[in-house]
Amino acid sequence: MTLDLRQVGSSLRVDDARSGLRSGQEVWATEAGGEPIQIAWEWTEIQPDVVALFDPMNILCNVALIDGEGHTLARSKRMLHLNNIVHQLSWRECIDRLKSRHRIGSPAQASQ
């Protein structure tokens, strides 16, 4: 199912006018059996053009993850699986394209 996930939303904001560092949110989605599946997370630039998950323990998903016996996964295991899914997606490349369309030329422009 990870291969079917596609970017459906993205946001970008400048967090610090001096450094020009940005952050944002990604939303990816697919369908399974006619039902929507969505996953969302926040990201941050830790230095120019280097992005990371803002909070790896705060990935949102609208479906329950279950184990082989049909039990809902504990939050820690759920986050581990969601992190693995996020890291399999090409979200960083999508952010690179978004950032290049919203390139800030200088810190002074960031505050405008």
Side-chain angles (χ1 to χ4, degrees), residues 45-102:
E45 237 177 353
I46 54 177
Q47 64 184 39
D49 299 320
V50 177
V51 297
L53 292 175
F54 179 74
D55 180 355
M57 294 303 288
N58 190 28
I59 298 173
L60 306 175
C61 185
N62 67 330
V63 296
L65 301 181
I66 56 172
D67 63 19
E69 298 174 2
H71 299 104
T72 302
L73 292 181
R75 185 176 192 283
S76 60
K77 287 187 179 183
R78 174 183 165 90
M79 285 300 120
L80 177 63
H81 287 285
L82 292 175
N83 269 274
N84 286 334
I85 290 170
V86 167
H87 287 288
Q88 291 176 30
L89 300 172
S90 60
W91 64 276
R92 288 178 178 90
E93 291 84 1
C94 292
I95 289 172
D96 286 343
R97 288 191 298 273
L98 180 66
K99 289 189 309 184
S100 68
R101 284 182 278 171
H102 296 90

Side-chain angles (χ1 to χ4, degrees), residues 99-111:
K99 289 189 309 184
S100 68
R101 284 182 278 171
H102 296 90
R103 182 60 55 194
I104 297 169
S106 69
Q109 286 178 311
S111 63

Side-chain angles (χ1 to χ4, degrees), residues 3 8 10 15 23 29-31 40-41 43 63 79 89-91 98 110:
L3 296 176
V8 296
S10 190
D15 288 330
S23 63
T30 190
E31 284 188 15
W41 62 94
W43 58 269
V63 296
M79 285 300 120
L89 300 172
S90 60
W91 64 276
L98 180 66

